[in-house]
Amino acid sequence: GAQRNDAVGSERVLGLDRLAEAFAGARARKRVLIIDASFGAAGARGPGQGARDLPNDALARLLPRVVEGGAPGASGVVVVAAGAGEAALVLEPARHGLLTYTLVDGLLGAADPEREGLTWELLTRHVRRSVDALSVLYGDGQEQHPVVYVREPTATALEAR
């Protein structure tokens, strides 16, 4: 089944501000940040916020800093494993987090079965649907709902270069 990973030793903690600073110095026009970890109860929901909304204010400030920080016209994606107050679950048989497992599955073709050109929209739909379903099946009563932010001018196909 899926299990929580509660190891939070100081060597495993990186503040979002520090992470955003690191990305701000990058000159890349396309930026992708994938966080297969959770923010736990620290991301308490406010009025009107659901699991697919911002996990917390810090993450809401992170996206523009990661995507826009430095390169004019930059686009980017931030993917976070779990919504507010949720755990990022590990799928033990696969030896990956649910997010990583479904991202790899989607990139290998499951997100674009018609082979029309994989986009962030197709990959996001696959990841959300798959993580939601796997967390219900293997989460022992815990659900996980990934949060995905995409900022790109058009729905361009993902390319491997």
Side-chain angles (χ1 to χ4, degrees):
Q3 298 177 353
R4 285 179 74 135
N5 183 355
D6 291 323
V8 283
S10 61
E11 70 280 355
R12 300 184 107 178
V13 176
L14 176 64
L16 293 176
D17 288 335
R18 191 164 154 213
L19 186 61
E21 286 174 20
F23 269 80
R27 296 181 193 260
R29 293 180 54 85
K30 292 185 180 182
R31 301 159 184 229
V32 177
L33 174 62
I34 299 171
I35 304 173
D36 195 352
S38 58
F39 295 92
R45 293 182 188 140
Q49 285 188 300
R52 294 195 193 284
D53 292 326
L54 304 178
N56 58 35
D57 292 340
L59 189 59
R61 291 187 306 270
L62 176 66
L63 174 66
R65 291 175 61 193
V66 169
V67 174
E68 300 164 2
S75 62
V77 178
V78 178
V79 182
V80 180
E86 297 176 335
L89 302 172
V90 176
L91 186 59
E92 288 301 327
R95 301 183 67 188
H96 288 293
L98 293 185
L99 177 64
T100 299
Y101 179 79
T102 61
L103 275 170
V104 170
D105 182 53
L107 290 168
L108 291 175
D112 183 22
E114 304 300 322
R115 303 289 193 252
E116 295 175 351
L118 183 61
T119 62
W120 280 112
E121 180 181 350
L122 288 173
L123 187 57
T124 297
R125 187 177 314 136
H126 171 76
V127 165
R128 285 181 172 158
R129 182 179 56 240
S130 299
V131 170
D132 288 357
L134 287 170
S135 70
V136 168
L137 287 173
Y138 298 107
D140 296 324
Q142 300 178 72
E143 291 187 20
Q144 178 179 335
H145 306 283
V147 180
V148 181
Y149 301 94
V150 178
R151 181 169 296 160
E152 62 180 344
T154 60
T156 56
L158 298 174
E159 301 174 22
R161 291 185 185 198

